[in-house]
Amino acid sequence: MTLVHFAAGLALALILAQALAWRLARGLSLRLPIAVQAIGLAAPLAVLLPSLADHRLLAPTDAPILANLPDAPRVADPDLAHGLFNDAIFQLLPWEEEVRRGFAAGHLPLWSDLLDGGSSPWVNPQAAILSPIAMLGRLLPIEHFLLGALAVKILLAFEGSWLLARALGARRWAAALGAGGFALGGPLFAWAVFPLSSVVAWSPWLLLGTLQVLRRPCSRHVAAAALVLAALLLSGHPEIALAECLLAAGFGAIVWRRRDRPLPAFGAALLAATLGAGLAACALVPFALVAPHSLRASPGEIPAAASTAFFPAGEGRLLLSPLSPWCFGRPFHEPYAGPGNWAIAAGAYLGLVALAGIAAALVSRRRRLVFALLALTLVVLLLAAGFYPWRALLAMLPLGGALAVDRFLPAAALPLALLAALGLDELLRRGSRASAAALLIAATASLAVRHDAPLVGLWLCIAVGVLLGRHRRALGLGCLALAAVLDLGSWTHDALPRGHRELFYPRTPTIAAVQGVVAAGGPWRAVAGGFGVYPSLLPMAGVADVRIDNPLALDEQLRPLTAIFEFRPEGRRYKSAFRHLDHPFLDFLNVRAVVLAASAPVPERFRPVLAEGPLRVFLNPAALPRYFLPAGGLVRDRADAIAGIQENRDARRVVLIGEEVGDWRPPARAWEPAAVRIVASRPGRVSLLLPPAGEKLLATSLPFPAGWRATAFGRPLRRVTVNTAYFGALVPAGCARVELSFRPPGFRFGALLSGLSAAAVLMLLIGKPGF
């Protein structure tokens, strides 16, 4: 049944993606030929289905699971080389699973009880909650989500870049080769399992929408361009989304005809950009409000200013990446010899056929367009390589200093693909000596980087194709297509991970023991000491973990964990050990199950549950309920509050912020573990029963207090911060029922903007074509 579900889901995802591409093309007054649609449907299947051989998954499961779960099943020939992509296992798929759980329960995934000690997927762009590509990928089982999403990306990227190349004047076959390099090269496949490639897949459509709006400003083009921009912004990676929007602005400056009704064209483009951003505002506004307070933007994690050198050490070598598929070694087969890592360095590689076309374009007759595209490419390439003047300008933007600019490299690939499409026809022109010389220079530069026999063979095949094409065009095109298939086919095979199904979040004895501990009563959380069991692996088994594994987690939530448990993930690697588990703050955090390595010391109060094996599981009998009435409280100034938590040896007493509570003091009361009873609960919404007598302080270990709201009798209760980072509320006497609900900051305002923008786009679509 799983195979049937997979086949049906993949077929439906591709059909819907094709319908979407066709509809967008019509909205931009363009036509997608049947042959192009057929290639768009066939290319993902031809490239991705071989990845399922030997019952493997397009998921980098092997290295991260084997490293974190010593009791995982043993497998033959594990794919350890693609461990570089472990974020797909540690972050992306756990986030995706939480999104699916929310939609399956019939509500928006505004809150997760399982991840990061409690967090909001909605404010995390890489959760891609509203991404059209992710939505289509969700038609497949989660173990095939990455494959399904990548198939949709290939289709959209190929057809969008083909239409764009044709709109700029490339011939059909040249446009197909250029689009093939873009869809099957580094822009998508270097980041195949990441949402970054989802943004890249929409980039040709964004440039196409920009072109059509500026050339023929009309309501239908504005609406289509706005929808494309919204899809790109919702696709999951803010850094590359910013790069692609800057690229679209630069491209618009290239194609804008100032003598042809400039004001209507500029106004239409501005309207499309406004409506596109407005459509995505329901997600963008909460993200924009939360990001400045996140771990990624914390002052200690923003890189220091660059030195007086033009590039950081070694980063300038990224400019060589379009020249060879093995520029820094054969991907995942040889030791890496470049800056960053395989994914970063390969983002601009389009294939040797495309490189030949780029070289020929430089000597073609369309010099204005060619050199404008080349200048645009160089600007993005220099920015991705950390070129100091560009980097300094970007740092002036809000949070600009926190951007990882090397992720911008795929944005340089699209103008290169357009240059390739424009130049390939030049190669086959009879007697074009300039193009032949350009081909020789390109081959020499490429082989100077690596001159292995397979690469020499590919260049010979390209040369034969050019020679034949000047007399027998069909034979020449066949040779060029063969060279492109051999080149990119081999390269994509190296780039894609192939994980074992047995290692897709297996239910090992360790996981089963933890599940057994947290299943009794609760809800309870768990944690692993040291570096054991990476944080998001437990949530995939339905177990809440208190550790943070998200660069957009609130910095205020990290501070007490750092001070008490030495848990110091940082905004680039976000990995850390978790120590000092004997501190009472662990009890406050609702941690009932603890996983420790066989050699780790065990606090006396822990009770063994799984005492044998490489990982041991213990029960913490002193864990507090997630919602409780404290026995008392300590009021400290904000600057001294964390020190108060460190000194507090009774988790049943909480620390309050003096600047928040003023003269109010929490009432002392006898400790009653069952004083608060859960009536109903789902992520982001909880109903509680409390004793009605007297004024009470309701304390929780729910982080993100700014998003939580407590109401009683339909009226909001006063919110207070508990233990510097957690939600609490003051409950008046006589109140026995309290409703808790979570809504990300700015959610209502963003939803209003999205609704208004959607209504405006709808009016443009159903109104008259002109303005």
Side-chain angles (χ1 to χ4, degrees):
M1 190 63 185
T2 303
L3 180 60
V4 173
H5 190 186
F6 162 75
L10 181 59
L12 183 58
L14 287 174
I15 291 171
L16 291 176
Q18 182 59 76
L20 175 61
W22 180 85
R23 184 64 261 178
L24 284 175
R26 294 300 300 269
L28 294 170
S29 303
L30 299 169
R31 298 183 65 85
L32 268 173
I34 295 296
V36 175
Q37 295 183 51
I39 296 173
L41 287 168
L45 301 178
V47 172
L48 299 179
L49 290 186
S51 298
L52 298 178
D54 302 325
H55 303 285
R56 298 288 187 98
L57 298 174
L58 186 69
T61 57
D62 296 10
I65 296 299
L66 291 174
N68 280 269
L69 294 175
D71 52 351
R74 300 296 97 183
V75 296
D77 188 26
D79 177 15
L80 303 180
H82 290 87
L84 168 67
F85 298 150
N86 59 26
D87 283 349
I89 299 300
F90 290 151
Q91 292 182 326
L92 300 177
L93 286 175
W95 293 339
E96 171 62 22
E97 180 67 8
E98 281 299 276
V99 172
R100 292 184 178 219
R101 284 170 178 156
F103 284 137
H107 59 81
L108 292 176
L110 302 179
W111 180 257
S112 165
D113 284 324
L114 302 182
L115 296 170
D116 308 318
S119 62
S120 175
W122 194 269
V123 304
N124 180 8
Q126 293 197 78
I129 294 173
L130 300 178
S131 164
I133 290 175
M135 288 288 191
L136 293 175
R138 289 173 191 139
L139 296 172
L140 284 79
I142 190 166
E143 63 266 27
H144 296 300
F145 168 73
L146 298 174
L147 183 146
L150 180 56
V152 172
K153 296 172 197 178
I154 295 171
L155 184 150
L156 291 173
F158 175 77
E159 297 185 5
S161 50
W162 186 89
L163 285 170
L164 181 59
R166 287 286 291 151
L168 291 179
R171 297 196 180 190
R172 292 192 174 195
W173 62 267
L177 287 175
F182 181 77
L184 300 178
L188 259 65
F189 277 82
W191 297 93
V193 298
F194 292 88
L196 186 150
S197 55
S198 299
V199 179
V200 172
W202 283 112
S203 62
W205 293 94
L206 181 62
L207 267 64
L208 190 62
T210 302
L211 176 68
Q212 292 299 91
V213 166
L214 291 175
R215 282 184 173 178
R216 294 175 53 194
C218 67
S219 58
R220 187 170 64 177
H221 292 173
V222 168
L227 290 171
V228 169
L229 177 59
L232 182 145
L233 294 175
L234 292 171
S235 287
H237 200 280
E239 287 156 326
I240 191 64
L242 172 63
E244 297 294 2
C245 288
L246 293 175
L247 180 71
F251 180 76
I254 293 172
V255 300
W256 186 22
R257 298 172 180 173
R258 292 178 175 81
R259 292 173 296 179
D260 184 16
R261 301 174 64 205
L263 290 180
F266 180 79
L270 185 61
L271 178 60
T274 302
L275 290 178
L279 287 171
C282 58
L284 292 184
V285 172
F287 164 69
L289 292 177
V290 171
H293 308 284
S294 68
L295 169 62
R296 183 63 178 270
S298 59
E301 303 308 331
I302 297 176
S307 67
T308 56
F310 285 116
F311 299 100
E315 294 293 313
R317 297 175 63 203
L318 287 175
L319 301 177
L320 300 176
S321 61
L323 296 179
S324 172
W326 297 350
C327 187
F328 305 113
R330 184 180 174 188
F332 305 101
H333 286 75
E334 297 176 359
Y336 181 64
N341 55 48
W342 289 119
I344 290 172
Y349 181 67
L350 299 172
L352 299 182
V353 172
L355 178 60
I358 294 167
L362 299 180
V363 297
S364 69
R365 291 172 294 179
R366 305 186 62 180
R367 293 182 180 179
R368 179 183 176 277
L369 177 60
V370 166
F371 284 101
L373 289 174
L374 182 63
L376 194 59
T377 301
L378 288 175
V379 169
V380 181
L381 281 175
L382 290 171
L383 180 58
F387 185 54
Y388 176 65
W390 290 182
R391 187 71 178 87
L393 290 174
L394 189 65
M396 296 179 183
L397 298 175
L399 299 180
L403 296 175
V405 294
D406 49 13
R407 270 65 166 179
F408 285 17
L409 194 60
L414 183 55
L416 284 177
L418 297 176
L419 287 172
L422 294 172
L424 282 170
D425 184 53
E426 188 72 23
L427 278 177
L428 300 189
R429 291 182 183 274
R430 190 187 302 267
S432 178
R433 295 180 180 178
S435 62
L439 173 63
L440 180 61
I441 293 172
T444 302
S446 176
L447 294 175
V449 175
R450 283 286 295 256
H451 49 271
D452 304 68
L455 302 181
V456 174
L458 286 172
W459 277 113
L460 289 175
C461 186
I462 293 170
V464 170
V466 170
L467 292 174
L468 288 176
R470 294 181 176 182
H471 304 281
R472 300 285 184 90
R473 182 170 291 257
L475 289 177
L477 291 178
C479 283
L480 291 178
L482 176 62
V485 168
L486 292 175
D487 179 10
L488 295 175
S490 172
W491 191 87
T492 56
H493 182 270
D494 289 345
L496 292 178
R498 295 174 65 246
H500 285 77
R501 293 174 184 268
E502 305 94 309
L503 296 179
F504 191 81
Y505 303 102
R507 190 173 185 267
T508 68
T510 301
I511 297 295
V514 173
Q515 288 174 321
V517 172
V518 301
W524 302 112
R525 296 191 181 104
V527 77
F531 287 95
V533 188
Y534 208 78
S536 295
L537 295 182
L538 293 176
M540 284 298 285
V543 176
D545 196 312
V546 75
R547 293 168 295 172
I548 292 171
D549 187 25
N550 184 347
L552 279 175
L554 294 180
D555 187 51
E556 68 177 15
Q557 183 184 349
L558 178 65
R559 289 174 194 154
L561 301 182
T562 299
I564 296 166
F565 303 113
E566 296 186 23
F567 184 69
R568 295 187 179 91
E570 45 79 27
R572 306 269 168 192
R573 292 176 300 163
Y574 31 86
K575 299 172 179 66
S576 175
F578 200 89
R579 301 184 173 93
H580 308 306
L581 280 77
D582 55 345
H583 196 283
F585 194 60
L586 192 76
D587 306 335
F588 167 79
L589 292 175
N590 185 236
V591 174
R592 186 77 163 176
V594 177
V595 181
L596 294 172
S599 59
V602 181
E604 292 182 2
R605 61 197 179 103
F606 289 177
R607 299 176 184 172
V609 175
L610 180 67
E612 302 294 332
L615 294 175
R616 298 171 295 167
V617 178
F618 297 88
L619 181 145
N620 175 21
L624 299 188
R626 198 169 294 182
Y627 318 96
F628 65 95
L629 302 182
L634 307 170
V635 178
R636 305 289 286 263
D637 293 338
R638 191 178 300 276
D640 193 40
I642 289 182
I645 300 174
Q646 291 175 300
E647 297 165 6
N648 183 21
R649 308 311 297 179
D650 184 357
R652 298 172 298 180
R653 295 170 60 84
V654 297
V655 174
L656 302 177
I657 308 297
E659 290 88 338
E660 280 190 3
V661 300
D663 296 333
W664 183 89
R665 292 296 180 268
R669 58 183 302 124
W671 172 248
E672 300 175 66
V676 180
R677 190 157 55 90
I678 300 174
V679 178
S681 176
R682 68 169 174 80
R685 189 172 294 274
V686 185
S687 297
L688 303 173
L689 283 181
L690 288 69
E695 186 182 33
K696 300 164 286 293
L697 168 63
L698 172 64
T700 79
S701 53
L702 297 172
F704 212 143
W708 284 98
R709 182 171 180 263
T711 58
F713 306 117
R715 296 192 298 271
L717 302 180
R718 181 182 175 185
R719 177 171 52 202
V720 295
T721 303
V722 173
N723 285 341
T724 73
Y726 301 90
F727 174 72
L730 305 185
V731 183
C735 178
R737 181 158 181 150
V738 174
E739 306 289 336
L740 304 182
S741 60
F742 179 84
R743 186 177 294 117
F747 175 75
R748 283 187 171 178
F749 179 65
L752 176 62
L753 289 180
S754 293
L756 293 175
S757 299
V761 169
L762 183 60
M763 291 177 62
L764 291 174
L765 289 173
I766 64 178
K768 294 182 179 180
F771 282 108

